[in-house]
Amino acid sequence: MTDYQPLMASIASKARAASRLLAAADDAAKARALTYAAQALRDQSADILAANAIDLAAGTKAGLSPAMLDRLKLDAARVAAMAAAVEQVAVLADPVGHIIDSSTRPNGLQMARIRVPIGVLGIIYESRPNVTADAAALGLRSGNAVILRGGSEAVHSNRAIYAAMLAGIIEAGLPADAVQLMPTQDREMVGLMLRAQGAIDMIIPRGGKSLVARVQDEARVPVLAHLDGINHSYVHKDADPAMAQAIVVNAKMRRTGVCGATETVLIDQDYPAAAELIGALIDAGCEVRADDVLMELDARTVSADADDWDTEYLDSVISARVVSGLDEAMEHIARHGSHHTDAIITDNADAAACFLAEVDSAIVMHNSSTQFADGGEFGLGAEIGIATGRLHARGPVALEGLTTYKWVVRGNGQIRP
Amino acid sequence: MTDYQPLMASIASKARAASRLLAAADDAAKARALTYAAQALRDQSADILAANAIDLAAGTKAGLSPAMLDRLKLDAARVAAMAAAVEQVAVLADPVGHIIDSSTRPNGLQMARIRVPIGVLGIIYESRPNVTADAAALGLRSGNAVILRGGSEAVHSNRAIYAAMLAGIIEAGLPADAVQLMPTQDREMVGLMLRAQGAIDMIIPRGGKSLVARVQDEARVPVLAHLDGINHSYVHKDADPAMAQAIVVNAKMRRTGVCGATETVLIDQDYPAAAELIGALIDAGCEVRADDVLMELDARTVSADADDWDTEYLDSVISARVVSGLDEAMEHIARHGSHHTDAIITDNADAAACFLAEVDSAIVMHNSSTQFADGGEFGLGAEIGIATGRLHARGPVALEGLTTYKWVVRGNGQIRP
């Protein structure tokens, strides 16, 4: 077996050196690099599509599922969308250098907390080649060096996209090692990235649940991610029925494969329009796995078993149960939720305030669809992902979540008594 | 061997339940609990001193060093100081509920990020019994449940102090499990705490380097700590000699055992008063381990070897070398520093700005002593420790560093198109 440790050390060392230059790089240079990179993506569209054709042919031969092949596939419109996304990141405000707070102590020392890049980010992802451009753009815009490790099934596409990003970086006068793409697909490199404490500052996995689970399980480097999005919409007794029905159907059915989709609806025992709500979900094409009470309301429901309350379907399926009130709803969420996104629908301000204060999730919502769980919808301009960990950054993570701070202390000769 | 997993699970589960109540507890109740606890510490001073006498007798019999016995020892004044420190935490502003930022989206959704407690903190500490009161106070004040695991040599003292803290918590109507002291000193419990992902949200080790190293090495739960404080004072060529000498002597010699002490002085080759600076350090009782150039300046210096640049002496010893200028100083710090606290002394504003921007440490300073690295000196009122990790919180960590945030979204029926 090849010992890849020297290669990993070399990549990490180049990333660290680049990160020091990037931390001092000015805003305009970082923005310019992305503008140039977007243009390079457009200019090199034919190369990118040719590389993608190789991946698609190999994937078809290897028997990848139609869904995987669709995630892998690029066309002119998708390359154009990728370039546009990079340009959108270019015009976001740079968080680096922002003064979080400052004070002057009685002895005259001036204290300030200043935003700085985290340093070196490792991105581990699967078949979607656009992550090569997205992650490089967000990492670079926030002043971080980035090490990319994409899926083997997209290796040619990723290399072609990376070449365009690199052209933009170099043209803007930033260090070539600001973004590095792993030169080998050997899986050992993933393990080395996950154990690179001190060399890589944060790992961000982008992909399916098995990838995220492996990364969270093996990593010694901090990980920014979410494993599950077992999200709840709780229909309180004082919910407006028309609003509740519109929100729950949207929260489940708008796109069933996104992490912000509602997977369980909790319905108050005193909510007057439960049958209509269940019926609307079924009419919209959703399978409703219900408890005994709700099964009485519609013969088209099926019986939920114990596992259903802990299942992220990512499909046209929802689990549904009756709760005795706010407390039981919050207990259900505390026991079965994944701390991602949970919503209450009610016209009762006290119930809403209690739910928003006590439910311990990255995103808590009142009278809106859990499908809004997305950095763009939150006004962040983009997102590197949604985090359900409790430290550093929670919920949708964009540029600010890719920074940390340092304390800058200015004196004029103070010594400590 | 006893299987302590069920005990750990029970403690963690009680802590989580308490943390939910604490997250919703009002500011006044948390402050009141600490005021009551401070009074209980005073009222139970005789019990605490009697318990401490047992620990001291056992420690003497076990042959603990005089330094360890001093850290362990309590007297009436130290108990009074402990109570006063708890009262100081009681009057700090509560970070929980603070709105970090907010916005209204074009579709009317109102987004806000609100400070919330982290959840469950695990504190692992050694011989100083006052950590029992300090850590409980800071954890509780910021709305977190706390699990304390103190050193075996202080077990009786810790139990007596804990009893007083618990009395205050209960008297204020807060949950008794808000702060728990490990009921066994079995070392296996430390391992279980370090691997309690999802049950404990953050581990804070308080103690010597071997404890911190073990915790950082074994923990799967995020750790807030610093291992080393290999801090630098860099005397630039344009430093005022009187200021430089006063700062460097203070930075090294005020208290040599604190993590903010300077361990290496870097002196510009064009700084005109290097001999006086070295002489002042030696006159103050400091051993100076110097490079060849500086050894020429004072016969009382000794020769530094390669290890000296990576050594945290925590003693009256300093390593000293000449650098060719700002760049070499920053390179030395990048290679040998521990990202804790580093200072430049200069009257040159450009050099200072460059140093403050580019040196990658939790605290960077201009014209002041590294011994100011302390939460109290930073105006934070107290500190749970100083962190040299890059994520979540850096430098002195007080109440805000023991919180995270959640997104609160308020709508009036919005569904996502």
Side-chain angles (χ1 to χ4, degrees):
Chain A
M1 204 177 81
T2 311
D3 176 11
Y4 281 108
Q5 182 58 52
L7 176 63
M8 184 70 237
S10 160
I11 291 169
S13 152
K14 288 188 287 183
R16 183 65 65 193
S19 83
R20 292 195 202 292
L21 297 170
L22 281 173
D26 71 45
D27 186 20
K30 292 183 287 185
R32 214 159 47 227
L34 297 186
T35 306
Y36 293 155
Q39 191 53 47
L41 286 168
R42 291 194 191 95
D43 293 346
Q44 300 173 23
S45 185
D47 289 349
I48 292 168
L49 294 179
N52 186 245
I54 299 172
D55 289 333
L56 284 172
T60 305
K61 199 170 161 189
L64 294 189
S65 69
M68 282 192 75
L69 287 171
D70 181 62
R71 282 199 286 273
L72 183 56
K73 185 179 167 57
L74 295 175
D75 54 26
R78 285 186 176 183
V79 173
M82 201 188 302
V86 169
E87 274 171 342
Q88 279 168 22
V89 175
V91 300
L92 291 177
D94 185 357
V96 171
H98 173 73
I99 299 169
I100 299 171
D101 46 34
S102 63
S103 66
T104 301
R105 303 292 306 150
N107 62 8
L109 282 181
Q110 298 176 306
M111 311 292 191
R113 284 196 301 166
I114 311 282
R115 284 220 169 275
V116 297
I118 287 176
V120 177
L121 308 178
I123 319 286
I124 300 174
Y125 54 109
E126 292 181 316
S127 46
R128 288 185 200 277
N130 65 303
V131 176
T132 306
D134 280 356
L138 285 162
L140 187 72
R141 191 73 188 83
S142 49
N144 294 284
V146 177
I147 300 171
L148 299 168
R149 203 286 186 183
S152 295
E153 65 281 9
V155 62
H156 298 92
S157 312
N158 288 339
R159 285 178 187 159
I161 294 166
Y162 172 69
M165 297 302 292
L166 189 60
I169 291 165
I170 292 171
E171 197 175 339
L174 294 180
D177 295 324
V179 180
Q180 296 178 80
L181 180 68
M182 278 285 168
T184 167
Q185 292 297 123
D186 194 289
R187 283 176 67 85
E188 172 61 11
M189 289 302 279
V190 175
L192 290 172
M193 286 178 75
L194 298 179
R195 293 189 298 277
Q197 304 104 291
I200 296 176
D201 299 307
M202 183 187 266
I203 295 278
I204 303 171
R206 292 282 299 265
K209 202 172 292 194
S210 65
L211 172 72
V212 176
R214 179 191 167 189
V215 167
Q216 289 188 331
D217 189 49
E218 288 185 27
R220 301 306 308 267
V221 175
V223 174
L224 188 88
H226 68 276
L227 185 61
D228 289 307
I230 302 179
N231 308 316
H232 299 77
S233 289
Y234 164 48
V235 181
H236 183 254
K237 68 182 171 63
D238 298 334
D240 173 79
M243 184 193 290
Q245 184 171 313
I247 286 177
V248 173
V249 171
N250 181 267
K252 174 73 252 185
M253 296 300 289
R254 173 185 161 269
R255 283 180 61 192
T256 58
V258 299
C259 65
T262 283
E263 302 292 7
T264 299
V265 59
L266 304 172
I267 304 178
D268 232 283
Q269 62 184 6
D270 296 325
Y271 175 67
E276 293 82 347
L277 179 62
I278 299 293
L281 281 162
I282 295 172
D283 292 344
C286 188
E287 175 180 321
V288 176
R289 301 196 187 167
D291 68 358
D292 292 348
V293 180
L294 294 177
M295 283 187 75
E296 295 291 319
L297 300 182
D298 196 310
R300 298 171 294 171
T301 57
V302 299
S303 177
D305 65 28
D307 288 345
D308 278 302
W309 314 114
D310 301 306
T311 300
E312 184 183 21
Y313 303 111
L314 295 173
D315 203 347
S316 300
V317 182
I318 197 168
S319 54
R321 63 166 286 206
V322 162
V323 292
S324 60
L326 180 59
D327 285 344
E328 196 177 26
M330 295 198 300
E331 276 166 33
H332 180 101
I333 293 169
R335 177 170 308 165
H336 299 285
S338 60
H339 309 285
H340 191 296
T341 301
D342 296 291
I344 183 172
I345 301 138
T346 186
D347 287 342
N348 182 319
D350 291 342
C354 182
F355 184 95
L356 295 176
E358 296 195 17
V359 171
D360 175 28
S361 297
I363 306 170
V364 288
M365 292 186 155
H366 177 212
N367 285 349
S368 53
S369 166
T370 59
Q371 297 248 352
F372 283 111
D374 174 273
E377 295 294 328
F378 274 61
L380 305 180
E383 72 174 34
I384 192 86
I386 291 187
T388 53
R390 305 185 61 76
L391 300 182
H392 189 70
R394 287 183 98 188
V397 178
L399 294 183
E400 188 193 292
L402 300 181
T403 65
T404 180
Y405 61 80
K406 67 180 174 188
W407 291 91
V408 174
V409 179
R410 292 182 171 89
N412 49 17
Q414 284 84 350
I415 60 174
R416 188 167 173 190
Chain B
M1 204 176 83
T2 312
D3 176 11
Y4 281 106
Q5 182 58 52
L7 176 63
M8 183 71 236
S10 160
I11 290 169
S13 155
K14 289 188 288 184
R16 183 65 66 193
S19 82
R20 293 199 202 289
L21 297 170
L22 281 173
D26 71 44
D27 186 19
K30 292 183 286 185
R32 216 159 45 228
L34 296 187
T35 306
Y36 293 156
Q39 190 53 48
L41 285 168
R42 289 192 192 98
D43 292 347
Q44 299 172 24
S45 184
D47 289 350
I48 292 168
L49 294 178
N52 186 245
I54 299 172
D55 288 333
L56 284 172
T60 305
K61 199 169 159 188
L64 294 190
S65 70
M68 283 193 74
L69 287 170
D70 182 61
R71 283 199 287 274
L72 183 55
K73 185 179 169 54
L74 294 176
D75 54 27
R78 286 186 175 182
V79 174
M82 201 188 301
V86 169
E87 275 171 344
Q88 278 168 22
V89 175
V91 300
L92 291 178
D94 186 358
V96 171
H98 173 72
I99 299 169
I100 299 171
D101 45 34
S102 63
S103 66
T104 301
R105 304 291 306 150
N107 61 8
L109 281 181
Q110 298 176 306
M111 312 291 191
R113 284 195 300 167
I114 311 283
R115 285 220 168 274
V116 297
I118 287 176
V120 177
L121 308 178
I123 319 286
I124 299 175
Y125 55 108
E126 292 181 316
S127 46
R128 288 185 200 275
N130 65 303
V131 176
T132 306
D134 280 355
L138 286 162
L140 187 72
R141 191 71 189 83
S142 48
N144 294 284
V146 177
I147 300 172
L148 300 167
R149 203 287 188 184
S152 295
E153 65 282 9
V155 62
H156 299 91
S157 311
N158 289 339
R159 285 178 186 159
I161 294 166
Y162 172 69
M165 298 302 293
L166 189 60
I169 291 166
I170 292 170
E171 197 174 340
L174 294 179
D177 295 325
V179 180
Q180 297 179 78
L181 180 67
M182 277 285 168
T184 166
Q185 291 297 123
D186 195 289
R187 283 175 68 84
E188 173 61 12
M189 289 302 279
V190 175
L192 290 172
M193 287 177 74
L194 298 179
R195 294 189 299 277
Q197 303 103 291
I200 296 177
D201 299 306
M202 183 187 268
I203 294 278
I204 303 171
R206 292 281 301 265
K209 201 171 291 191
S210 65
L211 172 72
V212 176
R214 179 192 168 190
V215 166
Q216 289 189 331
D217 189 50
E218 288 185 29
R220 301 306 308 268
V221 175
V223 174
L224 187 88
H226 68 275
L227 185 61
D228 289 308
I230 302 180
N231 308 316
H232 299 78
S233 289
Y234 164 48
V235 181
H236 184 253
K237 68 181 170 65
D238 298 333
D240 173 80
M243 184 193 290
Q245 183 171 314
I247 286 177
V248 173
V249 171
N250 181 267
K252 174 72 250 185
M253 296 299 290
R254 172 185 161 271
R255 283 179 62 191
T256 57
V258 298
C259 65
T262 282
E263 302 292 7
T264 299
V265 58
L266 304 172
I267 305 177
D268 232 281
Q269 63 184 5
D270 297 324
Y271 175 68
E276 293 81 348
L277 179 62
I278 299 294
L281 281 162
I282 296 172
D283 292 345
C286 187
E287 177 180 322
V288 177
R289 301 196 187 168
D291 68 358
D292 292 347
V293 180
L294 294 177
M295 282 187 75
E296 295 290 318
L297 300 182
D298 196 310
R300 297 172 295 171
T301 56
V302 297
S303 178
D305 65 28
D307 288 346
D308 279 301
W309 314 115
D310 300 307
T311 300
E312 184 184 20
Y313 303 110
L314 296 173
D315 203 347
S316 300
V317 182
I318 197 167
S319 53
R321 66 166 284 208
V322 163
V323 292
S324 60
L326 180 59
D327 285 345
E328 196 178 25
M330 295 197 300
E331 277 166 33
H332 180 101
I333 293 169
R335 176 170 308 164
H336 300 285
S338 59
H339 308 286
H340 190 296
T341 301
D342 296 291
I344 184 173
I345 301 139
T346 186
D347 287 342
N348 183 318
D350 291 342
C354 182
F355 184 94
L356 295 176
E358 296 194 17
V359 171
D360 175 28
S361 297
I363 305 171
V364 288
M365 291 186 155
H366 177 211
N367 285 349
S368 54
S369 167
T370 59
Q371 296 248 352
F372 283 110
D374 174 274
E377 296 295 326
F378 274 60
L380 305 180
E383 71 174 33
I384 192 85
I386 290 187
T388 53
R390 304 186 62 73
L391 300 181
H392 188 69
R394 287 183 99 188
V397 178
L399 294 183
E400 188 192 293
L402 300 180
T403 65
T404 180
Y405 61 80
K406 67 179 175 188
W407 291 91
V408 175
V409 180
R410 293 183 170 87
N412 49 16
Q414 283 84 350
I415 60 172
R416 189 168 172 189

